[in-house]
Amino acid sequence: RSRKVKPGTARRELGVLQAALNHAHSEGVLIHPIKVELPAASETRDRWLTRSEADALLSASAPHMQRFILLSLYTGRRMSAILDLTWTRVDLDAGFIRFADGAETKKRRGRIRVPKQLREHMQGWEDGATHVVNFRGKKIQSVKTATRRAGERAGVDGVTPHVLKHTAITWAVMDGLDVEDAAEYFDTSPETIRKHYWHHSPRHQERAISIIEARK
């Protein structure tokens, strides 16, 4: 049977196949290496929300989704990290959230200080549930559909959980956060910040321009 998938999905799954074939060759299961042809990588879409779009999205969202959106916009964490967050890892008095639980995984999460705006929101959220973002007291497995529908109600196109994460980092860099501080706070590599976000900074290529413009 065949199924329709996006090029990015096909590239990712074929990449897994390539890794398996490489491993089989290294173990002597295959005599010759087998090369898998991958679809070309698609260009990264630089989609982030404006402040007015974020306000519209919040207004169009149910309470549990408002929690998710605010946590995304202030912490820049992945959907899974936010949905896994329990109140036992939140200390509003000390002003910390610990997204990591036990050993760190490849999907880095880390601990952050809570911005005062987010802390003020969260102080009214405790409802006796285990998880910070919950629906009728129960853990939520995914908000992909809910995010898309909230975007449709708000008239905001292309909203996904990843766009919310992308927005958080983009706003911070736009406001002047440097590469190292952004990497530490958002638990993202400096290389990723430079590649995907630094062009939004008011200091992007600042030194280069100052040197070039100083020419006689």
Side-chain angles (χ1 to χ4, degrees):
R1 293 183 300 173
S2 62
R3 62 188 176 98
K4 292 183 179 180
V5 297
K6 295 180 179 180
T9 302
R11 180 180 174 84
R12 183 171 60 253
E13 293 184 356
L14 288 172
V16 173
L17 174 61
Q18 180 69 81
L21 292 171
N22 291 344
H23 178 71
H25 178 253
S26 67
E27 293 293 313
V29 177
L30 295 175
I31 298 175
H32 302 290
I34 299 175
K35 178 69 174 179
V36 177
E37 184 176 351
L38 304 181
S42 59
E43 292 186 7
T44 301
R45 186 184 179 194
D46 191 21
R47 173 66 168 121
W48 48 274
L49 303 183
T50 63
R51 294 315 205 269
S52 60
E53 285 179 326
D55 289 341
L57 187 65
L58 283 165
S59 297
S61 298
H64 68 283
M65 278 302 300
Q66 291 177 343
R67 293 188 185 190
F68 177 82
I69 293 166
L70 287 167
L71 281 165
S72 296
L73 293 178
Y74 279 109
T75 71
R77 286 317 191 266
R78 296 175 182 273
M79 178 183 71
S80 59
I82 293 173
L83 296 182
D84 287 345
L85 180 64
T86 60
W87 283 109
T88 58
R89 290 186 270 132
V90 175
D91 188 338
L92 294 179
D93 293 330
F96 286 99
I97 292 176
R98 181 169 53 86
F99 283 102
D101 188 11
E104 288 282 355
T105 65
K106 291 182 179 179
K107 303 293 186 182
R108 295 163 52 185
R109 297 180 177 184
R111 189 181 84 153
I112 66 165
R113 293 178 60 179
V114 186
K116 64 179 182 180
Q117 300 96 320
L118 180 58
R119 191 187 309 188
E120 289 171 359
H121 285 292
M122 295 185 71
Q123 284 171 343
W125 288 359
E126 293 194 63
D127 50 13
T130 301
H131 290 80
V132 177
V133 179
N134 64 84
F135 183 71
R136 296 178 180 175
K138 296 183 179 179
K139 184 180 185 301
I140 300 170
Q141 300 300 322
S142 175
V143 292
K144 290 181 179 179
T145 299
T147 304
R148 175 177 55 78
R149 289 177 177 171
E152 291 171 351
R153 289 193 298 271
V156 180
D157 295 331
V159 184
T160 66
H162 182 73
V163 166
L164 295 175
K165 169 184 168 65
H166 190 61
T167 298
I169 304 177
T170 300
W171 284 0
V173 171
M174 281 181 166
D175 291 339
L177 196 63
D178 66 25
V179 171
E180 294 302 326
D181 287 339
E184 180 184 2
Y185 182 81
F186 294 111
D187 212 7
T188 302
S189 71
E191 293 75 16
T192 297
I193 299 296
R194 290 190 186 93
K195 181 177 180 181
H196 297 292
Y197 302 99
W198 190 240
H199 61 282
H200 291 293
S201 173
R203 290 181 287 159
H204 178 238
Q205 298 181 350
E206 183 178 54
R207 178 170 168 76
I209 289 297
S210 65
I211 291 174
I212 293 170
E213 292 183 344
R215 292 174 182 169
K216 299 297 184 181

